[in-house]
Amino acid sequence: MTAERPILPYLMIAPSLCLALAIVVWPIVELSEIASHSVNRFGQLRDFVGLANFEALWNDPNFIASLWRTLVWTVCVVGGALLTAIPVSLVLNEDFHGRGLARVLVMLPWAVSLTMTAIVWRWALSGESGMLNSALMGMGIIGTNIQWLAEASTAFPMQIFIAVIVTVPFTVTILLGGLSAIPDDLYEAAALEGAGRWTMFRTITLPLLKPFLNIAMILNTIYVFNSFPIIWATTQGGPANSTDILVTYLYKMGFRLGKLGEASAVSLVMFAILLVFTLVYVRLSMRREA
Amino acid sequence: MDGKLKRSLVCWLILLPFVVAGLFPFAVMGITALKPQNEVLNPTWWPSRLAFENFVTMWGATNFGPALLNSLIVSVVSTLAALLVSIPAAYALGRFRFRGQGAFRVFLIITQMLSPIVLVIGLFRLIAWAGLIDNVSAVSLVYGAFNIAFTVWMLQSYFATIPRDLEEAAWMEGASRWRTLVSVFLPLAVPAIVVTAIFAFINAWNEFVIALTMLRSQSSYTLPIQIFSLVAGRYTVEWHHVMAATFVATIPVAIAFAWLQRYLVRGLSVGAVK
């Protein structure tokens, strides 16, 4: 059917390919060039310096700290979101009164821009006039106001908490798609054999949901790893860089301190990490097709 | 019936903590937006009266109108640009087999993985080289390009559900490929295109990093940047105005989303696993 006009599909994908290439390939070439030169504040390239910018990063304790914090951030947010999304999607897959409403309520945080969510939380978390403190005091959970964003020990866990809340809806969406693909007769047959709910979950639901869990995990890892607005709009990585992750570190380096060479090196390091994730993702989805 | 009632109760109880946490910011936003100015710093849940005038004073004080217009322009233009190039690509992926098809898919996945923040310095230089810093149209184009992976993915998984027989029947009757496309395929694809368009629109509406770096003057700010500029690096923040602005920027999008979210379950999960 397609043999007579083999050019057509290429013509059809060409515009999207060109546009996407332009915004990915050009920046990567630029980044490699900047990262391997010394650059002044105005972005003019000077001498070729090889890997010196990467070395400078390696010697910067803030970079190493941000790298570790990015790991903690990604693992906690992705893990927290999956652990929350599994029970939530199982419940939303049940038939109960008000399910339509429940789905909307669960999905809603997704619709709001992360920037707006983060700004609202920043206000809710403020020490004296924040409504979280007043709510928690009203319920008798805390006795005095907590300055949530003034220290990394409370700010960072709060940022993780906010990120989990906004990551759950997407995860639930993927899992609901997976759950709806499991045929009911599997459960009926298991029930005839006298299997309990937990056994059914372990032997039917979980194995069949696994590809969807994998996809959710990998896509979330990528989104969370790249997530900028929550931390930027609540603390801008402060106080004293103590809530910086790689993306906020990168932004400060590039646009605050004007260290374009090192910032580009951070970009390339992130690109390399993401590429590994991507390859894992492609491997996983190819294996299922085969 | 009784069994279902009991189950409903249990289900809602399990969901309750998550729903409360998810709705908490909406409550804070709504209540603060409606508090009289002198009560804003007082963290009570019940204002003495509802201060609807906040929405009126906010409009002037926050430069809301121009930012709203910029957000609309950026979102509409980028959505149209993404659709224009994605519809043929999704059609080609779904209806043809060609060399490089797999490579094209992998390439799209890679662009999906690279969020703008990773490339932001390179993008900034690209835009600066073209002399388009502070240009709303340039930002639209960048958004459109970053949206392509998502729109192709969604469209393709919806297109796959449109039966091929109808097109084949039209060819049998002698209609050309182009004619079949326009009068048979595209009308069937309209719902899918509309849903995809709305999600692309929301993506662009909510984007932050590109706007933060490329838009430099207040006259070109989009809503997220405008509202961010009201709280970032300021000594005093007019929180009732900020929350009123956030409220107005959020509620229409939230309603559109609430109405459409069920279409996402099919589109995203089918697309993700295929």
Side-chain angles (χ1 to χ4, degrees):
Chain A
M1 169 186 100
T2 59
E4 83 269 27
R5 252 187 296 177
I7 304 174
L8 190 58
Y10 296 105
L11 287 179
M12 293 180 101
I13 64 166
S16 57
L17 186 65
C18 293
L19 198 52
L21 273 176
I23 54 123
V24 170
V25 173
W26 175 304
I28 290 178
V29 172
E30 284 272 317
L31 286 170
S32 325
E33 214 173 338
I34 304 168
S36 58
H37 288 75
S38 69
V39 199
N40 69 9
R41 274 197 71 96
F42 309 103
Q44 284 151 332
L45 299 186
R46 295 290 168 80
D47 310 319
F48 180 80
V49 294
L51 295 176
N53 282 317
F54 291 90
E55 237 168 89
L57 283 185
W58 192 245
N59 294 323
D60 180 357
N62 278 336
F63 173 75
I64 305 295
S66 304
L67 190 63
W68 278 114
R69 212 171 288 115
T70 308
L71 184 74
V72 173
W73 163 259
T74 310
V75 169
C76 288
V77 174
V78 174
L82 278 179
L83 287 180
T84 318
I86 292 173
V88 167
S89 53
L90 285 174
V91 168
L92 289 181
N93 199 43
E94 294 282 321
D95 175 31
F96 64 98
H97 291 295
R99 178 169 76 160
L101 178 67
R103 282 196 177 191
V104 170
L105 292 181
V106 167
M107 299 296 181
L108 216 49
W110 191 3
V112 185
S113 104
L114 284 179
T115 320
M116 310 271 186
T117 308
I119 289 173
V120 174
W121 272 104
R122 179 177 148 192
W123 165 235
L125 291 174
S126 96
E128 308 310 324
S129 28
M131 289 167 87
L132 182 67
N133 277 340
S134 87
L136 292 178
M137 287 224 266
M139 290 189 284
I141 297 174
I142 57 169
T144 52
N145 280 334
I146 298 176
Q147 305 284 342
W148 295 100
L149 297 175
E151 267 177 71
S153 60
T154 48
F156 198 56
M158 258 304 165
Q159 289 163 336
I160 290 177
F161 172 75
I162 299 168
V164 168
I165 292 179
V166 298
T167 308
V168 167
F170 171 75
T171 319
V172 167
T173 305
I174 298 271
L175 297 186
L176 274 179
L179 287 173
S180 67
I182 301 177
D184 284 334
D185 28 341
L186 282 180
Y187 293 107
E188 282 158 25
L192 282 180
E193 307 222 345
R197 290 195 75 113
W198 172 245
T199 319
M200 286 196 217
F201 173 72
R202 224 167 27 98
T203 56
I204 302 173
T205 315
L206 213 49
L208 288 175
L209 208 53
K210 212 175 151 218
F212 294 86
L213 283 168
N214 282 338
I215 299 294
M217 190 182 76
I218 291 162
L219 288 179
N220 276 334
T221 302
I222 284 144
Y223 296 147
V224 172
F225 182 82
N226 286 322
S227 175
F228 178 76
I230 292 176
I231 291 184
W232 195 253
T234 48
T235 63
Q236 307 209 351
N241 301 330
S242 60
T243 56
D244 264 332
I245 59 172
L246 284 178
V247 282
T248 57
Y249 178 86
L250 159 70
Y251 192 84
K252 277 186 196 169
M253 273 287 168
F255 294 98
R256 283 257 175 101
L257 307 175
K259 294 186 178 174
L260 286 175
E262 286 171 46
S264 302
V266 179
S267 283
L268 292 176
V269 170
M270 292 187 67
F271 178 58
I273 298 174
L274 283 169
L275 210 57
V276 174
F277 285 142
T278 312
L279 291 177
V280 172
Y281 174 83
V282 172
R283 267 309 244 316
L284 278 175
S285 51
M286 293 287 179
R287 198 181 335 147
R288 232 183 355 274
E289 253 170 49
Chain B
M1 187 59 213
D2 209 24
K4 191 172 172 184
L5 208 63
K6 209 175 120 197
R7 187 161 31 151
S8 305
L9 212 62
V10 174
C11 286
W12 276 102
L13 271 179
I14 300 176
L15 292 178
L16 198 63
F18 183 76
V19 169
V20 169
L23 294 186
F24 178 76
F26 286 91
V28 171
M29 183 166 82
I31 291 168
T32 314
L34 288 169
K35 271 186 188 175
Q37 190 176 4
N38 54 1
E39 288 174 35
V40 169
L41 292 179
N42 193 359
T44 49
W45 286 81
W46 304 110
S48 61
R49 63 179 181 88
L50 296 180
F52 289 106
E53 76 272 11
N54 283 349
F55 289 95
V56 180
T57 52
M58 169 279 282
W59 197 277
T62 62
N63 188 38
F64 196 87
L68 178 70
L69 189 65
N70 284 332
S71 268
L72 280 172
I73 293 172
V74 166
S75 306
V76 170
V77 172
S78 69
T79 302
L80 289 179
L83 283 182
L84 199 67
V85 300
S86 299
I87 292 172
Y91 183 86
L93 279 179
R95 292 292 199 255
F96 294 101
R97 295 231 147 264
F98 54 94
R99 278 170 67 90
Q101 200 166 14
F104 181 61
R105 273 180 219 269
V106 171
F107 170 73
L108 284 181
I109 294 173
I110 292 177
T111 63
Q112 175 79 38
M113 313 263 148
L114 287 173
S115 96
I117 178 75
V118 178
L119 303 175
V120 70
I121 291 172
L123 284 170
F124 183 80
R125 284 175 76 95
L126 170 64
I127 300 291
W129 171 80
L132 294 173
I133 292 295
D134 212 27
N135 182 310
V136 174
S137 318
V139 168
S140 314
L141 207 61
V142 174
Y143 285 0
F146 269 104
N147 248 332
I148 288 173
F150 173 80
T151 47
V152 171
W153 183 341
M154 286 277 286
L155 285 173
Q156 180 211 331
S157 65
Y158 281 111
F159 285 0
T161 64
I162 297 174
R164 204 184 273 248
D165 315 1
L166 295 172
E167 288 163 77
E168 277 165 6
W171 295 335
M172 299 289 253
E173 290 183 18
S176 68
R177 199 171 248 287
W178 174 248
R179 205 184 143 121
T180 312
L181 190 67
V182 172
S183 56
V184 180
F185 183 81
L186 282 180
L188 289 169
V190 165
I193 295 173
V194 171
V195 172
T196 308
I198 290 173
F199 284 107
F201 183 93
I202 293 177
N203 276 349
W205 185 262
N206 289 342
E207 203 282 336
F208 183 61
V209 176
I210 297 286
L212 183 66
T213 47
M214 311 292 172
L215 301 176
R216 289 305 164 97
S217 64
Q218 205 183 32
S219 61
S220 59
Y221 280 173
T222 56
L223 277 174
I225 304 307
Q226 177 59 41
I227 294 177
F228 179 72
S229 77
L230 297 174
V231 302
R234 295 215 179 182
Y235 192 66
T236 51
V237 177
E238 302 279 350
W239 283 107
H240 59 298
H241 283 160
V242 173
M243 291 297 126
T246 316
F247 191 88
V248 178
T250 296
I251 297 306
V253 183
I255 290 171
F257 188 87
W259 175 48
L260 284 164
Q261 44 81 26
R262 63 204 150 103
Y263 296 104
L264 252 193
V265 174
R266 204 180 48 181
L268 260 185
S269 57
V270 173
V273 175
K274 276 221 174 112

